């Protein structure tokens, strides 16, 4: 039996108002120690104000080979962007 | 602390991927993405040889960080002031953190940390030759920070743009944290070079012992480094060994002069025409002996790693057992 | 006892506790059971070095003889050290280190909860900064006591053995002598005896969670606060102080 501790993904909020961002991974036997390991590994230089740890096995990721069907259809929807529309410069607050 | 390119031993086959039949259109698309400086991510298709080379390079880099904790760790308990003690402990701890980031990056390629550590302990994986040299005096701590970390930074800065995303991101973090390592080393050297005659003697002695091994850190010369071309094409490596080595000599020699110490190379001289320093021949037989594990303290280093790992087994087991019990109790309660 | 003498001695006690334990933890760096745990122990060590520098620096100022924190750390012999016997105990295995850390941090937390209200503003300020660190150390070590106590048969045996080693040094933490009496009377720090109930309660909670038996305390071993240490401290100092002692006058 291998007792290798599971892998956890670490997300850090660097300051209030920002979202959590992936920083890296740690190994830990349980959630409590995963938070401590994340703190001791990734916030030694005031990098954060909040931490999330998520078991790596629980992350559901999209398949890169499906990158075409997933993301490319959005490329043609340029009407979703404000620059698509032409309005006179003289009209304000649009 | 850094990587070297030990996988480029001349004895190794140049391209291990030849035997494997991989769909040409996937290979072409991969090569095109890398050539366009795109990042490859863990779930992307990649050639088996690329994956293998990366696992070897990143794990070797991680092992170097972890083994690299030992020579400096040797002096934490003897650091001569509270400030030096805190700085050294923080630095060696950083190396541990870097090893951790790198193991995590390598794990995204499908090899677990445990497997990599076991390969190291079984003598199947390499680590940087520099850590098989002993730290004899406090000046060695200065010399390691100044020279070894200095050489490491040169190797590592270009790797922030390496083609494999998790490796590149780990290197960004490593480089950011390393920025104080070389400076603290130089500061130690400065204090000693300007100190008592005994301190200056230690400083010069440390430079004498660490200079050549530091130059060897960049790996074998380019003409004996047959995989360099492929690694550069794959953006796993961004400059050749000799280019980096020359750059290191060019920036370090004036630093030694600023310290009032002499570089132990009678052939060292500045070439006005090229704008570079010319330096003497490196003893490559020493390098290859150290790579093979015959460095002066290779046995001490490896036995310390194995001991820590083996003596930690019951701790890792205990925490895993407690977690399993907690999990079972929670399930029973539901 | 005049208050200045008492304060100097008291600051040495605070500084030396942190310094000696930091020295012990430093020896783990690079040798921990798992990288992550290695990093945690170094973080605790770094916090303790910081505490030591602040308390010893203040001690030097109170003494007024021109000794700074380094002079006090590296140029005193064992008889002049004022740390408790607990912190100088050898690392042993990980369980022994955790037992030492747990006992120390649990006690230190209670002490510093009192020191943040110190009538000496400098001590109150250092204690406020340190208390956040200590909270983390105490919680971290308690979590490890629980994991090792409850984990496997082997870890349980080792955890019990770790505490058994440290047990004779617990009472010393709560000993009140002239220095402590003078400090408590002056409103600088809490009476050490007053910390005992909180300590026993915290210990019981952790031991229950760890499924560990509460062991009776053996006869107390005392003397650290008066400079009569275990055999271990001399060796620790020989290593720690070697460079400044071998090259007096050199700066590093």
């Amino acid at each position: 039996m291998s007792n290798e501790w599971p892998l956890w993904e670490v997300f850090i909020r660097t300051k209030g108002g920002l979202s959590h961002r992936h920083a890296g991974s740690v190994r830990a036997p349980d959630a409590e120690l995963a938070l401590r390991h994340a703190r001791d590994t990734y916030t030694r230089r005031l990098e954060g104000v909040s931490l999330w740890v998520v078991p790596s096995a629980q992350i559901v990721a999209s398949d890169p080979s499906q990158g075409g069907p997933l993301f490319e259809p959005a490329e043609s929807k340029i009407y979703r962007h404000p620059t698509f529309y032409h309005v006179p410069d003289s009209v304000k607050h649009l | 602390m850094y990587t070297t390119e030990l996988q480029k031993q001349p004895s190794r086959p140049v391209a291990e991927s030849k035997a494997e039949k991989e769909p040409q259109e996937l290979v072409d698309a991969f090569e095109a993405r890398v050539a366009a400086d795109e990042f490859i991510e863990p779930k992307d298709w990649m050639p088996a040889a690329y994956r293998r080379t990366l696992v070897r390079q990143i794990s070797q880099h991680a092992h170097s960080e972890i083994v690299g904790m030992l020579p400096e760790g040797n002096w934490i308990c003897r650091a001569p002031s509270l400030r030096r003690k805190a700085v050294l402990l923080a630095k060696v701890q950083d190396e541990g953190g870097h090893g951790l980031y790198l193991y995590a990056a390598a794990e995204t390629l499908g090899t677990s940390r445990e497997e990599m550590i076991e390969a190291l302990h079984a003598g199947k994986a390499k680590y940087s030759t520099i850590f098989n040299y002993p730290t004899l005096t406090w000046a060695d701590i200065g010399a390691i920070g100044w020279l070894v970390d200095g050489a490491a930074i040169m190797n590592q800065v270009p790797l922030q743009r390496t083609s494999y995303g998790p490796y590149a991101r780990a290197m960004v973090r490593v480089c950011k944290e390393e920025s104080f390592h070389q400076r603290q080393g130089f500061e130690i050297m400065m204090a000693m070079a300007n100190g008592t005659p005994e301190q200056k003697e230690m400083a010069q002695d440390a430079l004498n012992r660490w200079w050549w091994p530091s130059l060897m850190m960049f790996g074998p010369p380019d003409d004996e480094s047959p995989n360099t071309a492929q690694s550069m094409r794959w953006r796993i490596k961004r400059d050749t060994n000799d280019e980096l080595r020359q750059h290191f000599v060019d920036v370090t020699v004036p630093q030694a002069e600023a310290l009032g110490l002499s570089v132990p190379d009678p052939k060292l001289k500045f070439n006005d025409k090229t704008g570079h320093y010319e330096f003497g021949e490196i003893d490559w037989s020493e390098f290859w002996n150290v790579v093979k594990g015959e460095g002066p303290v290779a046995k001490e280093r490896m036995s310390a790693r194995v001991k820590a790992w083996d003596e930690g087994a019951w701790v890792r087991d205990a925490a895993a057992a407690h977690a399993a019990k907690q999990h079972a109790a929670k399930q029973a309660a539901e | 006892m005049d208050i200045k003498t008492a304060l100097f001695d008291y600051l040495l006690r605070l500084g030396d506790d942190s310094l000696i334990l930091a020295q012990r933890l430093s020896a783990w760096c690079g040798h921990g059971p798992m990288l992550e745990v290695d990093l945690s122990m170094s973080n605790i060590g770094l916090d303790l070095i910081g505490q030591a520098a602040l308390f010893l620096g203040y001690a030097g100022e109170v003494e007024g003889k021109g000794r700074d924190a380094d002079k006090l750390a590296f140029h005193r012999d064992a008889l002049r050290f004022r740390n408790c016997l607990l912190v100088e105990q050898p690392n042993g295995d990980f369980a022994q280190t955790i037992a030492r850390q747990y006992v120390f941090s649990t006690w230190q937390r209670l002490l510093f909860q009192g020191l943040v209200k110190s009538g000496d503003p400098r001590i109150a300020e250092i204690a406020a900064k340190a208390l956040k660190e200590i909270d983390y150390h105490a919680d971290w070590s308690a979590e490890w006591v629980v994991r090792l106590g409850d984990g496997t048969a082997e870890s349980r045996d080792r955890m019990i053995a770790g505490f058994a080693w440290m047990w004779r040094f617990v009472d010393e933490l709560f000993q009140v002598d002239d220095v402590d009496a003078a400090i408590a009377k002056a409103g600088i720090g809490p009476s050490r005896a007053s910390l005992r109930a909180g300590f026993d309660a915290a210990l019981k909670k952790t031991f229950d969670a760890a499924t560990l038996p509460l062991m009776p305390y053996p006869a107390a071993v005392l003397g650290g606060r008066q400079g009569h240490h275990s055999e271990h401290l001399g060796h620790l100092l020989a290593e720690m102080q070697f460079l400044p002692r071998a090259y007096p006058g050199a700066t590093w």
Side-chain angles (χ1 to χ4, degrees):
Chain A
M1 175 184 80
S2 168
N3 272 332
E4 192 166 31
W5 294 348
L7 203 57
W8 303 71
E9 298 305 317
V10 178
F11 299 83
I12 302 176
R13 186 201 300 285
T14 49
K15 58 180 183 184
L18 298 181
S19 47
H20 287 75
R21 195 173 160 194
H22 186 240
S25 328
V26 290
R27 285 199 174 269
D30 54 64
E32 223 172 11
L33 282 184
L35 269 179
R36 298 213 179 268
H37 293 173
R39 180 259 197 191
D40 286 329
T41 303
Y42 291 101
T43 66
R44 285 172 287 135
R45 288 174 169 79
L46 293 171
E47 289 96 335
V49 297
S50 165
L51 278 173
W52 286 350
V53 290
V54 182
S56 306
Q58 297 292 318
I59 302 247
V60 181
S62 63
D63 179 352
S65 72
Q66 293 299 305
L70 282 174
F71 306 116
E72 282 168 25
E75 277 175 19
S76 59
K77 312 273 191 311
I78 50 174
Y79 45 79
R80 287 192 190 276
H81 300 277
T83 48
F84 180 73
Y85 303 93
H86 301 286
V87 293
D89 285 347
S90 56
V91 181
K92 301 297 179 198
H93 306 297
L94 273 174
Chain B
M1 183 177 287
Y2 63 23
T3 177
T4 51
E5 302 295 329
L6 302 185
Q7 69 271 26
K8 284 161 197 76
Q9 296 176 31
S11 57
R12 276 184 195 279
V14 175
E16 292 163 80
S17 62
K18 284 287 188 283
E20 297 148 6
K21 267 286 164 231
E22 292 178 324
Q24 197 54 46
E25 69 275 14
L26 287 179
V27 175
D28 292 344
F30 170 85
E31 296 277 356
R33 287 184 67 196
V34 170
D37 265 337
E38 281 184 38
F39 287 105
I40 304 302
E41 294 296 341
K43 291 176 64 135
D44 291 346
W45 187 89
M46 62 188 86
Y50 176 83
R51 183 183 299 273
R52 215 169 31 234
T53 306
L54 271 175
V55 169
R56 195 166 53 200
Q57 180 171 330
I58 303 173
S59 67
Q60 190 169 287
H61 194 162
H63 297 328
S64 298
E65 301 284 352
I66 303 312
V67 178
M69 296 172 82
L70 300 171
E72 289 177 287
N74 182 35
W75 279 90
I76 297 173
C77 288
R78 290 179 289 170
S81 71
L82 294 176
R83 178 172 178 268
R84 294 286 182 217
K85 189 185 288 294
V87 168
L88 185 58
L89 179 55
K91 179 188 188 272
V92 179
Q93 183 203 37
D94 273 352
E95 313 296 2
H98 299 169
L100 203 160
Y101 308 157
L102 288 160
Y103 282 127
E107 287 198 86
T108 63
L109 292 158
T111 307
S112 78
R113 192 197 301 183
E114 204 167 82
E115 289 172 305
M116 292 184 262
I117 288 174
E118 277 160 10
L120 173 70
H121 295 172
K124 290 182 206 148
K126 303 284 184 212
Y127 57 91
S128 183
T129 52
I130 196 89
F131 303 119
N132 285 337
Y133 292 91
T135 47
L136 304 180
T137 73
W138 175 250
D140 289 33
I141 300 309
I144 287 181
W146 171 39
L147 299 173
V148 176
D149 285 278
I153 288 164
M154 276 178 196
N155 259 323
Q156 291 181 154
V157 165
L159 289 173
Q160 295 177 94
R161 293 177 294 117
T162 192
S163 62
Y164 188 57
Y167 192 23
R169 290 191 286 276
M171 292 316 300
V172 169
R173 192 170 281 274
V174 167
C175 288
K176 198 168 98 191
E177 298 187 353
E178 290 265 341
S179 52
F180 90 81
H181 292 184
Q182 192 186 16
R183 293 171 71 97
Q184 65 87 33
F186 191 79
E187 199 189 72
I188 291 174
M189 291 304 276
M190 225 165 32
M192 296 187 76
N194 297 317
T196 65
E198 289 116 321
Q199 284 179 302
K200 185 158 187 176
E201 185 190 339
M202 284 187 243
Q204 181 64 56
D205 178 67
L207 173 56
N208 293 349
R209 283 182 289 110
W210 290 94
W211 175 256
W212 292 106
S214 297
L215 295 193
M216 293 177 200
M217 279 176 63
F218 295 96
D222 292 347
D223 51 15
E224 287 177 43
S225 191
N227 283 3
T228 289
Q230 173 169 278
S231 286
M232 291 191 59
R233 196 177 78 241
W234 280 344
R235 306 286 200 268
I236 294 171
K237 184 178 172 70
R238 312 256 358 185
D239 301 277
T240 73
N241 297 352
D242 287 335
E243 284 165 3
L244 289 168
R245 185 164 18 244
Q246 182 65 54
H247 184 47
F248 176 76
V249 172
D250 288 343
V251 304
T252 309
V253 171
Q255 293 168 353
E257 284 166 2
L259 290 170
L261 300 176
S262 41
V263 173
D265 179 357
K267 292 190 179 151
L268 185 78
K269 68 165 197 274
F270 189 71
N271 183 324
D272 286 322
K273 286 201 192 86
T274 62
H276 293 294
Y277 282 92
E278 292 168 2
F279 52 95
E281 181 66 14
I282 290 170
D283 182 356
W284 290 111
S285 65
E286 175 181 326
F287 173 79
W288 289 114
N289 286 340
V290 179
V291 168
K292 276 188 287 177
E294 293 173 11
V297 292
K299 291 211 185 313
E300 283 88 340
R301 298 291 181 251
M302 206 37 56
S303 78
R305 281 313 317 154
V306 171
K307 182 168 181 275
W309 184 249
D310 288 352
E311 290 181 357
W314 69 267
V315 178
R316 298 189 298 274
D317 289 348
H322 173 73
K325 284 186 204 176
Q326 294 291 107
H327 184 70
K330 201 175 154 200
Q331 289 213 312
E334 278 167 7
Chain C
M1 175 176 283
D2 78 281
I3 191 65
K4 191 182 137 185
T5 310
L7 180 59
F8 174 63
D9 208 76
Y10 192 69
L11 290 166
L12 290 182
R13 294 175 182 197
L14 294 171
D16 289 347
D17 279 351
S18 296
L19 174 62
I20 300 304
L21 187 54
Q23 179 73 5
R24 283 293 188 222
L25 286 172
S26 309
W28 270 105
C29 184
H31 306 276
M34 188 77 174
L35 263 177
E36 284 84 346
V37 182
D38 212 305
L39 301 190
S40 299
M41 285 195 280
S42 293
N43 270 348
I44 297 175
L46 286 167
D47 289 342
L48 291 167
I49 295 173
Q51 294 168 11
L54 291 171
F55 282 123
L56 293 180
Y58 186 25
E61 289 172 37
V62 167
E63 186 194 35
K65 290 184 183 163
R67 290 201 283 182
D68 61 9
D70 281 333
K71 192 84 183 166
L72 288 168
F74 295 95
H75 293 277
R76 275 180 299 153
D77 201 354
L79 277 176
R80 298 274 176 268
F81 267 78
R82 290 290 177 265
N83 58 281
C84 58
L85 298 171
L86 175 77
V87 292
E88 68 199 44
Q89 294 311 305
N91 285 341
D93 63 6
F94 183 69
Q96 187 166 315
T97 290
I98 288 295
R100 184 185 63 201
Q101 191 67 45
Y102 174 76
V103 171
F104 180 75
S105 297
T106 303
W107 167 80
Q108 198 194 21
R109 166 149 66 185
L110 293 161
L111 176 64
F112 277 56
Q113 282 168 349
L115 288 179
V116 296
K117 293 173 268 178
S118 173
D120 181 314
R122 182 87 169 266
I123 290 181
E125 188 191 333
I126 300 173
K129 175 184 176 291
L131 184 56
K132 292 177 199 145
E133 301 165 348
I134 297 162
D135 273 332
Y136 192 85
H137 308 167
D139 292 343
W140 176 86
S141 50
E143 283 169 18
W144 270 110
V145 170
V146 171
R147 278 151 188 79
L148 299 182
D150 178 59
T152 61
E154 180 180 6
S155 71
R156 180 184 175 80
D157 288 348
R158 286 176 182 267
M159 194 68 251
I160 290 171
F163 277 115
W165 184 283
M166 302 300 164
W167 232 218
R168 55 206 147 129
F169 308 113
V170 172
D171 282 343
E172 187 193 30
L173 301 173
F174 305 96
Q175 275 278 313
V176 177
D177 62 3
D178 290 352
V179 170
D180 279 293
I183 288 295
K185 187 157 168 266
I188 295 172
S191 159
R192 291 183 191 249
S194 72
L195 309 175
R196 187 69 198 236
F199 179 84
D200 288 340
L203 193 88
K204 179 163 188 336
K205 192 166 160 245
T206 306
F207 273 48
D208 283 350
T211 71
L212 287 171
L214 281 169
M215 297 173 280
Y217 291 98
V221 183
L222 306 169
R225 302 298 185 197
Q226 288 72 40
H228 292 143
H229 291 275
S230 64
E231 291 175 347
H232 306 293
L233 186 68
H235 294 283
L236 181 151
L237 294 180
E239 184 180 35
M240 183 175 86
Q241 299 178 334
F242 142 70
L243 270 178
R245 297 278 201 160
Y247 301 95
T251 49
W252 304 91

